[in-house]
Amino acid sequence: MLRIRCPWCGERDEVEFRYGGQSVAYPAEPGALSDREWADFLFVRDNPCGWWRERWVHSAGCRRWFELWRNTETDEVA
């Protein structure tokens, strides 16, 4: 089980959190995107091996969103 450090509540078990996915910037001009570009924005994400920046929400605690770095090979959290 992962131990995740919430910036507001401290270290907790991963069952208190929900994964929010890859940090992706919202398109600057969303109206200018084609259907294909929207589909890519919504559904296509990287699948790296190694350190990765992710979004998480402390759903069983303070309910705040935050970003953390996680190693996808070892599940080490920074």
Side-chain angles (χ1 to χ4, degrees):
M1 175 175 295
L2 285 176
R3 295 285 291 173
I4 296 174
R5 181 165 194 70
C6 172
W8 296 275
C9 304
E11 191 171 287
R12 303 284 195 268
D13 289 338
E14 77 177 289
V15 296
E16 291 191 19
F17 299 88
R18 294 294 173 262
Y19 179 71
Q22 176 183 357
S23 295
V24 178
Y26 193 78
E29 294 184 42
L33 296 180
S34 68
D35 288 345
R36 177 64 177 181
E37 290 168 324
W38 262 116
D40 287 346
F41 168 72
L42 292 172
F43 303 112
V44 177
R45 297 292 180 260
D46 297 329
N47 188 16
C49 193
W51 286 100
W52 181 249
R53 189 176 69 173
E54 304 172 326
R55 298 189 68 221
W56 288 79
V57 63
H58 192 181
S59 56
C62 63
R63 299 179 157 300
R64 292 185 181 180
W65 285 90
F66 61 95
E67 293 187 350
L68 61 79
W69 286 89
R70 183 177 65 89
N71 188 317
T72 58
E73 291 179 287
T74 65
D75 272 341
E76 181 183 356
V77 175

